[in-house]
Amino acid sequence: MTTPARPHTPPASSSAASPTSDAPSAERVLVLDFGSQYAQLIARRVREQNVYCEIVRHDITAARILEMAPRGIILSGGPASVYQQGAPRCDPQIFRLGIPVLGICYGMQLACDALGGRVGQAASREYGRASCHVLASAGLFAGVPESTEVWMSHGDQVNEVSPDFVALAGTPTCPLAAVRHKTLPVYGLQFHPEVTHTPAGSTILANFVRTLCGCRGAWRLEDFAAQTIDHLRQKIGTDRVICGLSGGVDSAVVAALLSKAIGGQVSCILVDNGLLRKNEAAAVIEAFTTHFQTDLHVVPAEQKFLDVLSGVTEPQEKRRRIGKAFVECFADEAAKIKGARYLAQGTLYPDVIESGAAPDGPAATIKLHHNVGGLPEDLQFELVEPLRDLFKDEARRLGLQLGLPESIVWRHPFPGPGLAVRCLGHITRPRLETLRDADQIVLEELARAGLMRQVSQAFAVLLPVQSVGVMGDARTYDEVLAVRAVETEDFMTADWSHLPYDVLARISSRVINEVRGINRVVYDISSKPPATIEWE
């Protein structure tokens, strides 16, 4: 066993600030994005160590990295193969800067390939949990059990490394599951330490950030709030901002940030599109006229949205049409608000990364999101998205810091397209009412059982499937309702909630007895990945 590389101290002469942050350069870690769906999740895990982390282009130059003076560099995973023509690569001089580098999945393959190794298709692809044996329990793996579970997601792997590398861990089908260079501060992990499915992942990342990179942990979410409020104040100046309200925590936090930054220059607009949860519009109106006392404009637009969704069943097309109609409603209402220049949205990073809109990254689009897709090119507002670098739990913590009530902060997430992506198939007013009533029962029973905090997100999905049933002496042929409940910290990965059988029984009984048109209830036991939280 050899001694791990010493923590890196950035050059004292480098003091250039990041173009997107005022965080201390001595406490910065960079993530080079190669198109991983988990790139921002890596950054979030680093932030949990109270170290500021940001994502940059994968082809950033070594010279620019020296200017930014990070403590460490992480190479993300990605969908490409290293040996493919045109595959994204990084500046090879990065490995010679003396700054600790950690390659994850594709990032490990890239580092090993650049330093004399060989990457190819794995004899046995690994997707999901795998048993990993730790060979060197120091440095990167300090405090990690000799046998630990890890999350794999790869078809390629490093088949051979140069003599300058040593193996740190392996699985039955991937002998080089973790490696380090003997003389350079370069490390590689074939598995994903950033996901919750790797129990020791946080320990491994902490070892890299704190021990190998030498970070002290000086960054706090409060710093983000102060910097964001100052940035909004400077950006917006004396102009007016329109803030779109949905009733969820995201838009509420944005409204609170804007209120702190520019006060009375904020006008809030609620588009009552007929796709909200039961009594949602009334609750939003109450919250933002009494608690926030904002300049609130309510746009009744149910029929408009029903018309544009008529006959549409394809999920992405639903999202595009909803996005377009949403902005049209905003534009019409904003025309009545003098001096409106900016449109503020509660876009979070999971929305951005799943829409393939990571900063200059080659991520694949999973689905379009209302906040980041479907906007027309002639949009009359400049977008303000102050939360687009945060995850849901960070947004909630920020909301509490800003003084928002817990009833708003801990409300379960609701998608921008609303019930349109939970009402699978054709969208009609009767089907939406059926779904609304059933969804309300799900939430009521979870609240009755005291499970609303334990469950991160729960909702009902009306399926375009009918099944035979018997009610009394009569045969029925009605629709099927799926119940979805998940537990997660970051909404990039999630496990299905193991709800008590008696709670599921009450939900099923009430839905079938109280909601006309449903005669069967099923429970979704899929985790993310491979499934997403929403069905569409």
Side-chain angles (χ1 to χ4, degrees), residues 402-451:
L402 293 170
L404 290 173
E406 290 195 3
S407 60
I408 290 179
V409 170
W410 289 103
R411 193 168 195 174
H412 281 195
F414 191 60
L419 296 182
V421 292
R422 295 178 179 176
C423 184
L424 277 57
H426 291 282
I427 305 295
T428 65
R429 185 179 282 107
R431 293 193 79 222
L432 288 170
E433 288 301 326
T434 296
L435 176 56
R436 242 188 293 272
D437 291 342
D439 184 72
Q440 181 70 11
I441 289 173
V442 172
L443 298 179
E444 286 176 356
E445 288 302 325
L446 288 179
R448 175 183 171 187
L451 296 172

Side-chain angles (χ1 to χ4, degrees), residues 27 41 48 74 101 152 162 223 255 273 332 398 476 507 521:
E27 288 289 327
L41 183 52
E48 288 178 353
I74 299 177
V101 177
M152 292 283 196
S162 76
D223 300 333
N273 56 14
D332 290 343
L398 183 59
T476 62
I507 290 173
V521 176

Side-chain angles (χ1 to χ4, degrees), residues 53-117:
C53 186
E54 61 183 288
I55 294 177
V56 296
R57 291 180 59 102
H58 66 277
D59 56 358
I60 186 174
T61 65
R64 175 60 181 138
I65 288 177
L66 280 178
E67 289 177 359
M68 298 178 73
R71 284 282 190 171
I73 301 168
I74 299 177
L75 311 181
S76 82
S81 293
V82 169
Y83 48 80
Q84 287 179 337
Q85 185 175 0
R89 305 188 75 85
C90 63
D91 185 340
Q93 291 304 311
I94 287 172
F95 304 113
R96 308 284 181 180
L97 296 177
I99 302 173
V101 177
L102 175 63
I104 296 176
C105 198
Y106 180 88
M108 169 184 169
Q109 297 164 16
L110 187 66
C112 290
D113 179 75
L115 296 172

Side-chain angles (χ1 to χ4, degrees), residues 208-280:
F208 177 73
V209 171
R210 293 298 192 101
T211 304
L212 301 177
C213 297
C215 293
R216 296 174 292 107
W219 185 80
R220 299 291 187 275
L221 192 60
E222 291 90 336
D223 300 333
F224 174 88
Q227 292 168 10
T228 302
I229 289 170
D230 184 61
H231 172 74
L232 289 171
R233 189 176 293 125
Q234 293 183 32
K235 175 183 176 68
I236 294 166
T238 59
D239 291 311
R240 179 161 290 276
V241 180
I242 296 173
C243 181
L245 293 179
S246 65
V249 61
D250 310 337
S251 59
V253 174
V254 170
L257 278 170
L258 289 169
S259 179
K260 294 279 188 181
I262 57 173
Q265 295 167 230
V266 184
S267 292
C268 295
I269 295 180
L270 169 66
V271 177
D272 187 358
N273 56 14
L275 304 173
L276 302 177
R277 287 172 285 202
K278 195 175 184 69
N279 302 322
E280 184 113 61

Side-chain angles (χ1 to χ4, degrees), residues 203 283 292 338 341:
T203 300
F292 288 101
K338 188 176 181 180
R341 176 180 175 183

